Amino acid sequence: VRKLGGIPLVLNQCNIDDNNPYIREYAIFALRNLLINNSENQKLVKELEPIEPVQNDILGEIGIITELGNN
């Protein structure tokens, strides 16, 4: 999966989707299975850099604004 560029595709599914409410859970479970006991996959995820935050409509409705912070 890593060699074919699939890990970023799985990570892209870790969001809230009203049309497919379980996609995030499926993606998180798939990501867990891809990372467990696999140091090369873990290294790839660790080296990823965030590009930009995406505002979620549901969070925006209650006044929460997404932003990137420095850790």
Side-chain angles (χ1 to χ4, degrees):
V1 174
R2 179 187 65 256
K3 291 177 182 177
L4 296 173
I7 293 177
L9 296 176
V10 173
L11 286 168
N12 281 333
Q13 301 307 311
C14 293
N15 56 38
I16 298 170
D17 183 351
D18 290 334
N19 296 322
N20 191 349
Y22 297 108
I23 190 72
R24 185 180 68 139
E25 284 73 18
Y26 293 144
I28 291 170
F29 186 66
L31 189 61
R32 174 209 176 267
N33 291 330
L34 289 167
L35 297 179
I36 195 165
N37 298 323
N38 191 317
S39 60
E40 291 181 36
N41 287 353
Q42 292 172 13
K43 180 181 176 190
L44 183 140
V45 171
K46 185 177 181 178
E47 292 173 350
L48 291 175
E49 294 287 331
I51 298 170
E52 66 181 31
V54 176
Q55 182 64 35
N56 180 287
D57 293 336
I58 295 170
L59 295 177
E61 289 175 7
I62 60 173
I64 297 175
I65 299 171
T66 58
E67 60 182 43
L68 289 177
N70 295 331
N71 290 334

